[in-house]
Amino acid sequence: MNILAIDAGNTRIKWGLHDGEQWAALGVVAKQDTVRLSDAWKQLPVPAKIIVSNVSGERVRSELNVLMARWRVSPVWITAHSSQCGVTNGYAQPSQLGSDRWAALIGAHYFHQGAAVVVMAGTAITIDALTAGGKFLGGFILPGLDMMAESLTAKTAAIRVERGEFESFPTNTRNAVWSAGVQAAAGAVDRMCNALVAGGEKMPAILLSGGAAEAIAPHLYGPVVRRENLVLEGLIYVALATTVETT
């Protein structure tokens, strides 16, 4: 059974066709590049199910609906629940958790049988705590590395810098801005790991994905596992669980 999973993020749309056991195709486009996305999907067989996480707003949802109409398969647009697929949502209002974060937590719970800190380092950086028992305790949301630098450029008269390089002791403004962002993100991840351990969990794995993952990973102290398609994997688990429940 082919399942098409779609992760519409703030800057990119990632997608994958899964046959129930493994990925048959994977792709990524800029969220505004619907022509390229349409061309890629022309090559796909008709999926039995389509499941989507969208945090890009109504315009992207409408554009995706137009593209998916070719298959005449009603897509499932996921939202966070109080519990699903073995994961319990610790948010005070569970539905307020982003669908991408929820899918990533489900993917993490299935991929890693233990406590985890789930980090998606993209336009924004989310850092979510997951116990070994599958409880999402809560998480941080930080500006992404580029957004941190851009905020300084926008709000200060003297700082006009391009992306720098990491230095432990930066010796120019460009590297000072970039290194501070990397240290802020890495420090937040480390603090979340420490909080999980203080709460009684074993040292968590850091499941890391996103465009800034390469910049952040070398500066983390815990065990790091790169998992680039964690949202898509979570979507597949949701789709398969729903199939089992309804058959």
Side-chain angles (χ1 to χ4, degrees), residues 4-246:
L4 178 63
I6 303 167
D7 170 21
N10 290 305
T11 58
R12 301 187 300 171
I13 298 174
K14 300 177 72 173
W15 61 271
L17 187 72
H18 199 278
D19 65 9
E21 296 183 0
Q22 62 185 356
W23 295 110
L26 287 165
V28 58
V29 301
K31 72 174 185 180
Q32 67 271 20
D33 196 353
T34 55
V35 173
R36 186 178 166 201
L37 186 61
S38 178
D39 289 343
W41 285 357
K42 287 177 182 177
Q43 313 302 319
L44 299 182
V46 177
K49 178 174 284 192
I50 301 173
I51 186 164
V52 190
S53 163
N54 175 40
V55 296
S56 286
E58 287 302 315
R59 182 183 63 81
V60 170
R61 180 180 177 122
S62 296
E63 291 173 348
L64 288 174
N65 270 325
V66 170
L67 295 181
M68 294 184 294
R70 72 183 71 198
W71 292 305
R72 298 183 181 179
V73 176
S74 296
V76 175
W77 301 84
I78 75 155
T79 58
H81 298 282
S82 57
S83 64
Q84 190 175 28
C85 295
V87 177
T88 303
N89 190 341
Y91 251 32
Q93 297 184 43
S95 62
Q96 289 188 351
L97 182 68
S99 60
D100 55 344
R101 292 170 68 192
W102 183 240
L105 287 161
I106 291 172
H109 182 60
Y110 274 80
F111 170 73
H112 176 71
Q113 301 303 309
V117 172
V118 181
V119 183
M120 294 191 291
T123 305
I125 299 172
T126 58
I127 303 168
D128 291 328
L130 184 67
T131 70
K135 182 172 178 59
F136 164 56
L137 299 176
F140 302 144
I141 303 176
L142 284 73
L145 299 185
D146 289 329
M147 193 182 299
M148 290 188 206
E150 289 165 3
S151 68
L152 280 174
T153 299
K155 297 296 184 180
T156 57
I159 298 179
R160 295 290 183 271
V161 295
E162 298 177 356
R163 177 178 291 196
E165 297 179 356
F166 181 86
E167 292 181 319
S168 295
F169 303 97
T171 54
N172 60 62
T173 302
R174 182 179 60 140
N175 290 352
V177 171
W178 182 254
S179 301
V182 171
Q183 293 283 40
V189 175
D190 289 337
R191 292 294 293 267
M192 186 64 84
C193 290
N194 292 340
L196 269 171
V197 172
E201 298 290 325
K202 293 182 179 179
M203 184 63 185
I206 301 168
L207 304 185
L208 181 62
S209 66
E214 186 174 350
I216 297 170
H219 309 288
L220 299 173
Y221 291 112
V224 178
V225 180
R226 293 286 294 273
R227 202 70 183 179
E228 290 303 328
N229 295 311
L230 203 54
V231 174
L232 294 179
E233 290 169 353
L235 291 173
I236 293 300
Y237 291 130
V238 171
L240 290 173
T242 303
T243 299
V244 170
E245 291 168 1
T246 57

